Amino acid sequence: CAKLHALALPCVYVLARRYGLFGTRITHLVLGHFAHTKKGEPQAPQAGGTRPSIVGVERTHSSLRLAVLPVLGEIFGGNYAYVVYDEADTERRALAVDAADPEVVLRFVAEHKLKLTHLLTTHWHWDHSGGNRRVARAWPQVEVIGGADEGWRVPCATKLVRHADDFRAGALSVRCHALRGHTRGSICYEVSLASRDTNDAGPPLLFTGDALFVGGCGALFERSAAIMYDDLGRLFGAVPADTLMCPGHEYTLMLLSQAAAKLKGNEQLRIKLATARAQREQQAPTVPSRLGDELGYNLWARAAVQRGDFGMFCSLCGVSDPVPDQRGAANLAGSAQASVPLGPDGKLKAT
């Protein structure tokens, strides 16, 4: 049976990617059967042996808490789900991000006596949204958030959001940033304490899914390089440099090693790579990571922020797109519309 699982899961994954089946219910059921942690059973070993961790005051400089939960074992390259809460919130309200292995997230919430109010989905791919149905059944009142351009492909969505949308999630504030390319409507969520205007609020968290990693960006599947270029440059201008970036996978060593082959003599990169290696030797996550540091060694971010390096950006993305014109700005303006509410049945309301 174990050999059958080992063979079947990669085959289903490849078919889903290749033929666009990642958003279908049958794919969710099949992948969930093989990859999800079963109720009452221990979680499978994770990629690189990564252990869960809780990021506390030493990084957040506040009562903001971040649980980094490795999920889905080896097959997807080391996924992360996250739970965020305010330790000072007497109601113990929390939000989850990309709860792809729902049992792992639900166990953490129960063990820490939290009340799950929101589930944020960065994009529709199964290894990020595949736990939405299970979480929504366990917490019927949970608000399931996804990108408006992802639409029906975000399971159980109760609210679809666009670039620059803001909303409250218990004691937390959330701002949405479009970072499209990997999927049509990828959203990065900037999460902070609702009291961030005070001096002790600390840095915000930024959940980037597969759009932005430590040292790189996600593959272009559904949007052009020009759109990702515009979105990425805007993101770095809108979010504080001390923001703690939380990507969807443990790709740090791979991407930094690739960068080191191109950025010879980059001392910041050398130190970051050595730190990441030490973290992985201890089976610790390399995330969260300071967003501003990406400009020292992330070639995609450097090209997008410097502007004028669009050719190099396309080369990194493996495409040959024409140089963008002013239509990029118009495209972004058109995306900054109000969030799209859904009815209780999860379908778009008539307008």
Side-chain angles (χ1 to χ4, degrees):
C1 185
K3 289 184 178 179
L4 178 62
H5 281 212
L7 290 171
L9 188 53
C11 290
V12 173
Y13 176 72
V14 170
L15 287 171
R17 285 283 197 191
R18 176 66 181 83
Y19 296 106
L21 302 177
F22 247 42
T24 66
R25 182 67 187 275
I26 189 169
T27 302
H28 278 229
L29 289 171
V30 173
L31 286 171
H33 173 76
F34 287 114
H36 283 167
T37 301
K38 304 298 189 294
K39 192 171 184 178
E41 296 183 6
Q43 185 183 9
Q46 299 303 301
T50 309
R51 298 191 301 261
S53 66
I54 298 180
V55 178
V57 66
E58 73 284 353
R59 296 290 305 278
T60 66
H61 307 298
S62 70
S63 57
L64 191 65
R65 297 293 178 266
L66 169 69
V68 183
L69 305 176
V71 295
L72 299 181
E74 300 274 355
I75 190 63
F76 297 101
N79 277 76
Y80 285 120
Y82 298 95
V83 177
V84 188
Y85 57 101
D86 180 0
E87 187 64 45
D89 180 17
T90 58
E91 297 183 49
R92 303 293 290 169
R93 294 165 293 180
L95 64 79
V97 182
D98 288 356
D101 191 345
E103 186 63 24
V104 174
V105 172
L106 293 173
R107 285 179 190 176
F108 181 89
V109 169
E111 289 167 2
H112 290 78
K113 298 179 172 57
L114 299 171
K115 176 184 177 183
L116 194 63
T117 63
H118 291 73
L119 173 56
L120 313 184
T121 305
T122 59
H123 64 293
W124 65 270
H125 286 164
W126 179 86
D127 59 322
H128 297 265
S129 69
N132 287 16
R133 290 186 176 90
R134 171 78 176 88
V135 171
R137 286 198 303 268
W139 290 90
Q141 302 306 312
V142 73
E143 186 94 272
V144 180
I145 311 294
D149 288 336
E150 308 281 87
W152 61 268
R153 297 188 295 180
V154 178
C156 301
T158 58
K159 182 179 182 181
L160 298 179
V161 294
R162 295 185 183 273
H163 175 70
D165 279 355
D166 293 286
F167 59 90
R168 285 285 295 269
L172 307 172
S173 293
V174 182
R175 166 158 284 194
C176 305
H177 301 272
L179 186 46
R180 302 158 296 169
H182 186 68
T183 68
R184 181 176 178 81
S186 299
I187 294 287
C188 298
Y189 298 98
E190 180 186 355
V191 178
S192 60
L193 295 174
S195 57
R196 183 171 165 75
D197 57 334
T198 64
N199 292 328
D200 61 350
L205 308 172
L206 184 68
F207 298 95
T208 58
D210 286 357
L212 179 64
F213 298 112
V214 180
C217 281
L220 286 176
F221 287 145
E222 298 181 6
R223 290 284 197 176
S224 68
I227 287 177
M228 177 180 270
Y229 181 76
D230 281 342
D231 284 359
L232 190 59
R234 172 191 42 73
L235 177 70
F236 275 84
V239 179
D242 66 347
T243 297
L244 299 178
M245 183 178 68
C246 307
H249 292 267
E250 183 54 72
Y251 290 163
T252 303
L253 281 184
M254 175 186 70
L255 291 169
L256 291 182
S257 297
Q258 292 172 357
K262 298 179 179 180
L263 296 174
K264 304 290 187 181
N266 185 311
E267 182 66 9
Q268 185 179 358
L269 174 56
R270 186 193 67 79
I271 294 171
K272 181 68 174 179
L273 185 53
T275 300
R277 283 176 176 151
Q279 290 170 318
R280 297 307 294 144
E281 287 173 2
Q282 298 297 317
Q283 298 179 324
T286 60
V287 298
S289 182
R290 187 176 180 273
L291 182 69
D293 292 346
E294 293 299 301
L295 296 180
Y297 44 73
N298 186 320
L299 294 170
W300 285 260
R302 286 158 63 110
V305 170
Q306 291 170 3
R307 314 304 285 174
D309 263 338
F310 182 68
M312 186 181 81
F313 188 84
C314 286
S315 177
L316 292 167
C317 295
V319 299
S320 300
D321 286 5
V323 177
D325 55 23
Q326 293 302 313
R327 287 175 296 179
N331 191 350
L332 180 61
S335 73
Q337 301 170 14
S339 28
V340 181
L342 303 187
D345 59 352
K347 297 180 179 178
L348 290 171
K349 289 181 177 179
T351 57

